[in-house]
Amino acid sequence: MTAHDKGHDSMRNAADQQSSPDIVLHPLSQAFQEATRAIRAMPEPRDAYDSATRLAHEVRSKADLAAQVRAEAAARIHEAEKLSIAGLAERLGISKARAAQLLKAARKAKDGNATK
């Protein structure tokens, strides 16, 4: 490997690290903690309740999207590795029923995106 190749590899590794979801998970967690602290510090209970309701709605919608992305990733593994449902379940360390649910969710998301 030449010095030129090594330079490209290190640049690619740096780019991969910068685009990693792990980089944004920590600030996301910090933002959630700050939001809950701010809500708990609110002097008016009704305002705190309303803010907590908005926070719960936001977190729930993000969790739903994360579950969809996870299902899509499972489907990508299933297709790329040409696995049976049992093979996918073993590969992911989940039950066959859960693997089937993930694939069904991925198909549903794909069908929903195709019609939009």
Side-chain angles (χ1 to χ4, degrees), residues 29-105:
S29 180
Q30 286 180 316
F32 179 79
Q33 289 174 0
E34 288 175 29
T36 56
R37 263 193 299 272
I39 291 168
R40 287 182 173 134
M42 294 177 95
E44 291 296 324
R46 180 60 197 209
D47 292 341
Y49 177 85
D50 291 342
S51 293
T53 299
R54 286 192 305 276
L55 177 63
H57 174 76
E58 283 298 317
V59 170
R60 204 169 2 282
S61 71
K62 301 314 179 248
D64 290 346
L65 181 56
Q68 179 181 333
V69 170
R70 181 181 54 208
E72 292 166 0
R76 288 172 53 198
I77 292 168
H78 179 252
E79 292 169 16
E81 298 181 19
K82 299 180 182 2
L83 297 170
S84 64
I85 290 177
L88 179 64
E90 184 176 327
R91 169 83 162 71
L92 298 178
I94 58 177
S95 70
K96 289 186 280 187
R98 183 66 185 130
Q101 288 174 338
L102 288 171
L103 294 176
K104 182 178 179 180

